[in-house]
Amino acid sequence: MEKIELLYEGKAKRIWRTEDENLLISEFKDDLTAFNGEMKSSEAGKGALNNQISTELFKMLANNGIQTHFIKMLDNNHMLHKACNVILIEVIVRNIATGSLSKNLGIENGTILPFTLVEFDYKNDALGDPKLNDQHALILGLVEYQDELDKLRRMARQINDILKPYFFEKGLKLVDFKLEFGKDKSGNIILIDEISPDNCRFWDIESGESLDKDRFRKGKGGLKVAYENVLNRILQH
Ligand code: 5GP
């Protein structure tokens, strides 16, 4: 399957049209951005690591009954997937307080939440991805029905229920992560985008070290080694 035309370039991926209107190719870039594009850098090999990590996680989730857009990994930086109508809601799942939750609500960093928190952000760079409630999402027309918002929450919790123990067994705490969903050509809501250390926070159970994009956000270095560490744990069965 070949790339025919660039449809969209995001901060971490380029999306290409293919000869099949139902299929797209995502090209994973080495670029790194944080704080809505205020911090920028690049790390050779980061895109390939995220492609491989996402591939393994999409396969594992599909084996556990989660519908995703994933078809196959084409090469180091390219993934073939279904074309979907993207729902412009970032679904944030949190098991442990950190990041913007700690900053905005004053919950101490590292506090284990009494239950898994699922939040919605509006996927809109110009507005800085603001928080959404259900009424905002419906007024903006991001989905048509309340049922669809309920389904996003339900799927996000199901995915967390699979990923959290999976990573725990591999010595990592799944602190929080961001998911994106789309509608396939039959109108089914399915998981899209990627699942990688760019949009998840992983803390090593023993050392407490961050093995994710917080290394870049906090200027710590060692990003590629951290992402390789996550991939190696995923590949260990
Ligand atoms: P926070 O709201 O604390 O900044 O992020 C919560 C979680 O969602 C983190 O795992 C973070 O990586 C992810 N996340 C939130 N917004 C975005 C985003 O716009 N892009 C990416 N790649 N991840 C995000």
Side-chain angles (χ1 to χ4, degrees):
M1 193 64 67
E2 298 290 318
K3 299 189 282 193
I4 287 184
E5 184 198 356
L6 182 63
L7 290 179
Y8 167 81
E9 176 150 10
K11 286 176 276 195
K13 287 190 292 297
R14 293 188 189 92
I15 312 289
W16 298 85
R17 194 163 68 78
T18 68
E19 61 260 39
D20 183 336
E21 63 174 8
N22 296 314
L23 298 178
L24 299 177
I25 292 174
S26 275
E27 177 184 353
F28 287 72
K29 303 199 293 185
D30 289 337
D31 295 351
L32 279 158
T33 64
F35 308 114
N36 202 22
E38 277 172 37
M39 235 177 127
K40 282 188 185 142
S41 184
S42 177
E43 177 91 29
K46 192 256 324 181
L49 284 162
N50 281 351
N51 189 21
Q52 220 184 325
I53 291 169
S54 295
T55 292
E56 294 299 327
L57 294 177
F58 279 139
K59 283 189 198 164
M60 191 273 288
L61 287 170
N63 288 338
N64 284 278
I66 302 293
Q67 281 191 289
T68 84
H69 73 159
F70 176 79
I71 307 277
K72 67 173 174 178
M73 188 170 134
L74 295 173
D75 61 28
N76 278 351
N77 286 77
H78 294 96
M79 178 188 286
L80 182 68
H81 55 81
K82 291 182 192 166
C84 286
N85 283 320
V86 176
I87 298 173
L88 294 176
I89 297 176
E90 297 186 343
V91 182
I92 313 287
V93 181
R94 299 179 188 271
N95 296 307
I96 298 175
T98 191
S100 71
L101 180 68
S102 292
K103 187 166 165 254
N104 295 338
L105 298 186
I107 304 175
E108 194 183 342
N109 187 53
T111 305
I112 296 171
L113 298 174
F115 54 86
T116 299
L117 175 61
V118 180
E119 301 174 297
F120 294 152
D121 289 358
Y122 185 14
K123 188 173 163 61
N124 183 320
D125 284 342
L127 296 175
D129 296 348
K131 290 271 161 244
L132 286 175
N133 66 27
D134 289 20
Q135 296 165 83
H136 295 141
L138 291 166
I139 286 170
L140 287 166
L142 305 181
V143 291
E144 273 183 88
Y145 306 110
Q146 177 66 42
D147 275 5
E148 295 172 311
L149 296 172
D150 298 340
K151 171 131 200 220
L152 294 181
R153 283 201 188 85
R154 215 164 42 240
M155 284 184 78
R157 286 186 190 283
Q158 269 173 357
I159 292 166
N160 185 53
D161 287 347
I162 298 165
L163 290 181
K164 193 175 142 190
Y166 171 86
F167 280 110
F168 194 82
E169 250 187 42
K170 294 173 183 295
L172 293 175
K173 285 185 196 167
L174 179 59
V175 175
D176 57 26
F177 54 101
K178 184 252 310 176
L179 299 172
E180 294 188 23
F181 294 88
K183 285 187 188 167
D184 67 12
K185 65 174 189 221
S186 318
N188 294 319
I189 294 181
I190 66 172
L191 181 65
I192 63 165
D193 193 46
E194 65 179 275
I195 308 181
S196 74
D198 265 13
N199 54 21
C200 301
R201 286 192 174 101
F202 300 112
W203 290 353
D204 183 275
I205 288 174
E206 287 189 355
S207 67
E209 272 289 287
S210 288
L211 298 177
D212 55 62
K213 200 164 91 171
D214 269 356
R215 302 201 73 83
F216 167 66
R217 295 186 187 103
K218 296 182 177 174
K220 278 189 185 163
L223 181 123
K224 194 171 166 199
V225 171
Y227 283 34
E228 280 165 353
N229 186 324
V230 171
L231 175 62
N232 289 336
R233 292 182 201 228
I234 288 171
L235 294 176
Q236 275 167 14
H237 289 291

